[in-house]
Amino acid sequence: MSESLGGNEEISDWHKQVFSLGTDELGDGQVLFEWSPKGNYLAVAGSKRKVIILDRNGRAADEIQLPQPELPLMDSRASCCTHIKWDPSGEQLAILPSGNTVVFLWSAFSPGKEPSRIDTEFKEPSRIDTEFKSQEFSVLSWSKNGAYLAVGTVKGNLLMYSSRERKRVPYVGKHTKKIVSAVWNKGNLLAMAGLDRMVTITAGDTGETTQAFQLKGDPSEICVSDCKDDGYSKKEENDLTLQSGGRTIYIMQCMAEGDKPLELAFLEQYGPIQKHMWFGDGYILVGFKFGQIVVVSSHSREIGEEVHGGKYLDSLTDMAYCPALGRIAMGGNSSIRILDASGHEYMEVKSDAIDLSPNERVDKVGWSKDGQVLTVSTTSGMLYSYLAALPSIFDVHMTKVMYLTSLLEMSIVDIHKRLAPVKIALETEPAFCGLGPTHAALGMNNQVWFYRHGRVGTGELVNKRNYMGSVEAVRLNSTHAAVQVDGRVIVHPIEIELGRQMDEFDVVLPPQGQPQHITCVAISEHFVITGSKQGILSYFLVEHITCVDIFEQFVITGSKQGILSYFLVEDCSPVNEYRHDDGGLSRIFPQPSGSRLIFQDERGNICLFNPVNDQVLVTPPIGSRVENVVWDVNDPNVFVIAEANQLSVFLYSPVSLSGAKIDLIGTQVTAASHTPVVLSAGLLGCRLTNGSLDNVTLDTHRAINTTDAMAKTNLGQLRTAWDCAVQLRNTEAWTQLAHAALEMLDLDMAIASYRMLGDPSMVLSLEGIRQYEDKNLLSAHIMVLLERDYADAQELFLRSSVPKAALEMRKDLKHWSEALKLAETLDPDGIALICKEHAASLEMTAEYNNAKSHYQQALDALMGQAEDKELELACRSGIARTTLHMGDIRQGRTMALALNSVSLLKECGSILEGLQQLTEAGEMYEKAGMYERAASIYIQTKNYAAAAPLMAKVSSSKLHLQYAKAKETEGRFSEAAVAFEAAGDMDSVVRLCLEQLNAPQRAYAIVRKTRSVEAAALLARYCLQNQDFAGAVEFLLLAGQMDQAFDIAQGHNEMDTFARIVQSSAKTADYNRIAQYYEGRGEFDKAGDMYASSEQYPRAVQLYLKVGNNATLEKAIGVVERTKSHQLE
């Protein structure tokens, strides 16, 4: 939840132009511009034949007139320059005029001088080896170190200019057609792309072409940067990306010999590629003409994947990335849209969009290096620069905030009062500022301007002063200023009476002769406080001040020696001193009242200092770098530590269960654009990146004005929390309140809260300790009940009147190591049991040597005490187990067998099995009655003799099967057959009977009983091999191979056997087939039987009559009677 500040005076800096240029200066046409790497100059070239150099406020620094074109121009409305490029240092600007064969260099150190001129040595030849003639340059590029300037021509030639030696070296034939793009990497390798569809890599120092790549289409732009490698960028810039044909991007390596470029193609619906660039940690931003934006990763595991995509414009002409802000500007038609890429998500910042007039078309967008200025040029000759972000220059006094609202304007607002801000107009962009109750200080370098401000209106300049050194910070109270200058602090009145010298009332801290090196300082109305490098926090003068704060009574300074000092303002006399032992002090953050303060030492520790008792508390660790610490002006015990994107809210409790402490009561994520500056009753005033202010309510204070009891409890407001809890009767609120009451040793409120919770056990526990007058004993019991730091509770118990309670606590918590140490003095008779329990816990964590020692120590402690057989057995069992764990198999086995405990034998068997001592493990399992496990191990180790007597006690089919296979492998086929039968694997029994035991009859019986298809097939093959065709027919039928059985029966005169077996289950076709066989052999009576079975009664009767004997006649009569068919009669 946030709330904007300033009412109607709120500034929307994105819509605030810093400056603009029009057609009068630039001409009616395309505008080319380029920010210098340092962001202090902007080079602009319109259609007029001149280049204008502007400072960051839009003031002209220089103007370069260009010669008229030597060659005809293709477009009269195009920019007068093909390219303008700053060298990496920002000291030289290379200018490539369109239609000319010269390059101009402008130096930032000599404005107004005629720019140096580099004449080309290239002539346009009719043939390569003939005389040269003039030809136009097409591209230029500076090397990363600024040593070389590469210039390409429309004929594919290269001019290499050494800026250090001022030497030109021409290289002919790098390309056969126009060079359209060129870029350097950090290794001084130059990559160029030409319309000959080639990419060449050239060594900058030798000019030698080291690599070349062939493309499928015409290239348009080439970029270089790091590829992501599993989350970390490589050190060398060896990866190139090249746009080709408007549809494809190639990724290639500068140094990878023989590697083919990786080709990235995109969806047709995106349209043609307009521009691409590298940004962030190895990501490629691709913009398409129809407004689509795509982010592609170069991570080795996700290379080529689209990690983000979206359409933000109807048409895209240009885009630019700002590393300082982590933002992307996209321009098209008359609109500029902003995409925030600083986090894991890509979010459009709709409030920062810019819309030009509808008749203007965006041509180019670009950022200054610090991201404070966004520049836009149009196709109609206009250039606009907008305030995109402001320097982080602000100061706070109570609830008032002074902040930069434009590059030349400061505003002062009160976050609690919606009044119009006080405006202070500036002549120069400030580098620092300071705010007091009635004055403001602004300055840069060694100059400071002091203004008087009121509730409304504008600031009035009351003093201007130059100091002998560079000013690093200024802090104010109502009358004095503390100015940090080159390791010193100068304290002086803000307003000087007429006729007085500026330095007449100066007090310099530290005074001469003081050995301390001051690192930070603060001032209030009456006191000065310093911190030194030696770690001393003092209320007296010290030396070399590096940071400064002023408050109502004190000047507070900190030094590199770690000394924190407080001084009275009037005469700077010392008041107090504290020495910090963990190093020097770097920053201090006093309360608005100036009493307590928070300081940061040179190790990064954040500590709270109370000058009343010189107590120092270290804040809980929060992780990343601290950006600011803000005290609540309405609650002296609440402060906020701000990190990059997180707020941590702390509560300081001067009295608690564990003494004075600092608690982290809440954290919340904040936008990277928000910098906390002031806190009042949980309302946090933040400065935004664009310079405006915003109020953010802390999550810890969001419900402070409601009946939320927990919110009040977390802030230490117990009485109001009780009132809220009574109204709400909320269980969680009572719990929070009860814990907070115990924290403050308020047992009456804690017991009442637990009664409201319905927690009789806690009430009884608290009632049981309520009578303790010993604070240490009471505090220790409460800490145990709350499950707090038991070491602290132990110390409190030991300092109490009942020290043995510390031992009972450790035993209850099973903290045996600590309990053993305490028992040596508090309870020697309990050492044996504690040692045994400690040994058991050590054994569970695989600390076997220590465990064995403690088991033995327990046995030794039992000597001379009453007999405890159970404890003795447990100790001896533990020694046996740990002995085995430590590798002494013989001794451990002997001990385990001697004790003859079933549970121990099982445990030892498991241990030995884990140690791959399988023979001994099997023995242990067998002694413990775990026959199946023992048999499994014996079989695994091929100890079949040991396994044999156990098999009768084994019911596992799997083990019997393993045993059977092992016996078969040994050649003990009879034993194997018995084992297979016990395992239920009758097919294997059949196989052994046939192949090894020569017991076919047993096999026949088994198969006829089990009717196994596989076994039947095996028997059928056996019968065929032994010419037992009747058996073969039988078992083939059992195996379901009827056709093969029929063929064998037909071929070996075993059809009777076949017919007998299939008689009850054959189908009509089978009967017919058998009948036809008999009929063909002239056995008409058998054929008639088959026809009768298939219900072909007329044919059956005919065949019976054809035989004509009594038996067949009776069969014929039987058929007629059975069918009662008159036709058969």
Side-chain angles (χ1 to χ4, degrees), residues 27 32 37 271 287 524 594-595 608 653 684 691 730 757 856 892 1126:
L32 192 66
S524 66
S595 55
L608 185 146
S653 302
L684 185 67
N730 182 287
L757 284 169
Q856 187 61 51
H1126 296 291

Side-chain angles (χ1 to χ4, degrees), residues 747-875:
L747 263 65
D748 291 335
M749 178 171 284
I751 291 172
S753 299
Y754 282 116
R755 282 202 176 103
M756 299 300 291
L757 284 169
D759 189 346
S761 63
M762 196 65 174
V763 171
L764 289 175
S765 297
L766 293 175
E767 291 284 2
I769 64 175
R770 191 176 190 175
Q771 74 279 7
Y772 293 150
E773 296 181 359
D774 188 332
K775 182 179 178 182
N776 289 331
L777 185 62
L778 178 63
S779 299
H781 277 294
I782 293 175
M783 293 184 77
V784 173
L785 288 173
L786 294 178
E787 299 181 356
R788 301 287 280 276
D789 190 335
Y790 299 117
D792 291 345
Q794 175 178 308
E795 291 300 320
L796 290 172
F797 275 128
L798 292 176
R799 292 201 301 265
S800 73
S801 58
V802 188
K804 196 173 180 179
L807 175 60
E808 297 303 321
M809 177 195 72
R810 291 299 186 181
K811 289 168 64 176
D812 292 341
L813 296 170
K814 300 187 184 301
H815 294 172
W816 303 114
S817 179
E818 293 81 358
L820 184 59
K821 294 176 183 178
L822 293 172
E824 293 176 356
T825 56
L826 299 176
D827 186 14
D829 292 339
I831 290 178
L833 180 60
I834 294 174
C835 284
K836 176 256 180 185
E837 295 293 344
H838 190 196
S841 66
L842 290 171
E843 186 180 358
M844 291 180 63
T845 58
E847 298 180 53
Y848 303 118
N849 192 23
N850 287 338
K852 183 178 179 180
S853 298
H854 281 80
Y855 280 128
Q856 187 61 51
Q857 187 178 351
L859 282 177
D860 296 341
L862 285 173
M863 298 296 182
Q865 296 184 10
E867 185 178 4
D868 190 338
K869 292 184 178 180
E870 184 178 351
L871 180 57
E872 182 179 356
L873 176 61
C875 293

Side-chain angles (χ1 to χ4, degrees), residues 30 164 195 311 357 375 465 481 513 531 685 732 747 760 783 790 863 954 1013 1073 1104 1117:
Q30 181 191 26
R164 295 172 183 172
L195 293 182
K311 187 170 182 178
S357 60
T375 302
R465 181 161 175 179
E732 191 173 357
L747 263 65
M783 293 184 77
Y790 299 117
M863 298 296 182
V954 172
V1013 172
R1073 188 163 57 165
Y1104 286 148
I1117 293 170

Side-chain angles (χ1 to χ4, degrees), residues 713-731:
T713 301
N714 291 336
L715 293 171
Q717 303 172 8
L718 299 187
R719 299 304 169 187
T720 55
W722 171 269
D723 296 336
C724 294
V726 169
Q727 297 179 41
L728 297 174
R729 295 187 176 274
N730 182 287
T731 300

Side-chain angles (χ1 to χ4, degrees), residues 70 317 439 565 574 606 721 740 798 807 811 843 868 889 891 1051:
E70 304 168 22
T317 54
H439 294 85
S565 305
I606 304 295
L798 292 176
L807 175 60
K811 289 168 64 176
E843 186 180 358
D868 190 338
I889 307 302
Q891 180 67 21

